[in-house]
Amino acid sequence: MKKSFFAIILFIFITHSVEGHTPVDIKTVGVEPFRCEISASVEQKLSHGVYLTFTVTNLTEHKLQLLSWYTPFEGFLSDLFIIKDHVGELLVYNGMMVKRSSPSIEDYLVFSAKDKVEITLDLTQAYSITPGEYTVQLAPKNWHYLHHEVSLTNQCSTNQLSIKVSK
């Protein structure tokens, strides 16, 4: 009896708005909220930099706020990509590593419904790339985002690129 009563109270609490907060749209939970893609010119000159473009699309019908930490949108402040040479050896990340406390609202990027945002990065700023052939993909990390003030996590994986770098 006590368990049933508790379950009913919990159900009411979850499905009704708490003052100042909007309830979570259940359709959004369990659905991939973002699509992530990387693109680049197949052949690039090392002397010009090795660039790739990272694109994120909000797949939902709702505004989402993505924490920029550990994503390409904050630049190279963490190891963002898995880059392997032609024999499958992993390139070591040489960029900055940042420790943080709690995020503030300024650390979140706002994505309107169906919004698409992209950034272009030079991989030579954080990885020791020499002439040769490489594969590149986004490193798997938990992404934190807000939906109606509720904190959620998701991993956004990308396609794998092949890039040929010449002098």
Side-chain angles (χ1 to χ4, degrees):
M1 177 72 172
K2 286 183 181 179
K3 287 182 182 178
S4 297
F5 179 73
F6 178 73
I8 291 169
I9 297 299
L10 183 60
F11 178 76
I12 291 169
F13 179 75
I14 290 173
T15 58
H16 287 78
S17 182
V18 176
E19 186 175 337
H21 293 84
T22 307
V24 174
D25 180 354
I26 301 301
K27 290 181 279 188
T28 301
V29 179
V31 175
E32 292 296 322
F34 299 104
R35 178 177 54 239
C36 299
E37 301 170 282
I38 53 175
S39 59
S41 297
V42 175
E43 295 190 13
Q44 299 192 41
K45 291 188 180 258
L46 185 61
S47 59
H48 297 153
V50 178
Y51 291 91
L52 69 74
T53 300
F54 176 75
T55 306
V56 174
T57 305
N58 175 357
L59 299 175
T60 74
E61 299 291 336
H62 309 279
K63 176 182 87 169
L64 299 176
Q65 294 173 273
L66 175 66
L67 181 62
S68 65
W69 297 358
Y70 308 107
T71 75
F73 295 114
E74 72 169 356
F76 289 111
L77 298 181
S78 64
D79 190 3
L80 300 172
F81 298 100
I82 297 170
I83 304 176
K84 294 182 181 179
D85 65 15
H86 70 284
V87 293
E89 291 290 321
L90 187 65
L91 266 63
V92 176
Y93 174 71
N94 298 319
M96 232 187 294
M97 296 293 278
V98 177
K99 284 197 171 222
R100 301 176 170 98
S101 58
S102 298
S104 67
I105 197 66
E106 291 84 26
D107 294 315
Y108 288 85
L109 299 171
V110 176
F111 284 77
S112 299
K114 305 296 184 182
D115 198 9
K116 182 187 285 190
V117 179
E118 65 182 36
I119 186 168
T120 300
L121 299 169
D122 179 1
L123 296 175
T124 63
Q125 292 180 351
Y127 299 91
S128 297
I129 295 178
T130 58
E133 295 181 19
Y134 298 91
T135 59
V136 183
Q137 68 185 94
L138 185 68
K141 300 213 190 300
N142 283 331
W143 284 22
H144 299 274
Y145 66 99
L146 300 175
H147 176 256
H148 292 295
E149 298 182 26
V150 175
S151 181
L152 301 166
T153 60
N154 185 61
Q155 281 197 1
C156 204
S157 58
T158 63
N159 51 309
Q160 180 175 294
L161 290 180
S162 294
I163 299 174
K164 183 175 183 179
V165 179
S166 61
K167 290 183 183 184

